[in-house]
Amino acid sequence: MPIRIGEKWSAMVLICLEHGPRRFTEIRTPLRGITPKVLTETLRALERDGLITRTAYLEIPPRVEYELTPLGRTLLEPIAACRVWAQNHLPQLLKARETYDHRISR
């Protein structure tokens, strides 16, 4: 799939990087529930797609930071629009799920 934004963690990782570079643990902490393996895979995929950069500093201990690229920044506005849509339509969405689940359980 060429666009990873629909994946569970991709948009949340991009949002975590909205205000500047962050280290692995600084991304993982607010994303409760993501495993280190899944975060690593997500970061690699986003880097591969040119949405983030990974910078490794030759320091002891080693330091690696992830940052949005200009291309990655272009996704912040559509992600924000999706978040507003979800907030505005959550009651309708939950009602539709409830109706569906009730109909299916019969």
Side-chain angles (χ1 to χ4, degrees), residues 58-102:
L58 298 175
E59 299 175 352
I60 298 175
R63 178 172 58 107
V64 175
E65 289 183 339
Y66 299 89
E67 185 172 13
L68 288 175
T69 63
L71 180 62
R73 288 209 163 274
T74 66
L75 288 169
L76 293 175
E77 187 175 336
I79 290 170
C82 288
R83 292 171 80 185
V84 168
W85 181 92
Q87 289 170 346
N88 291 339
H89 295 91
L90 184 61
Q92 293 167 283
L93 187 136
L94 294 175
K95 180 65 176 161
R97 285 182 183 176
E98 180 182 316
T99 301
Y100 176 87
D101 291 344
H102 180 71

Side-chain angles (χ1 to χ4, degrees), residues 13-41:
V13 168
L14 295 175
I15 291 167
C16 283
L17 296 173
E18 181 175 8
H19 299 293
R22 293 180 108 176
R23 297 175 75 170
F24 187 91
T25 54
E26 294 173 321
I27 298 168
R28 186 171 177 225
T29 300
L31 300 179
R32 292 180 214 104
I34 193 169
T35 64
K37 179 184 180 221
V38 171
L39 180 54
T40 297
E41 291 170 354

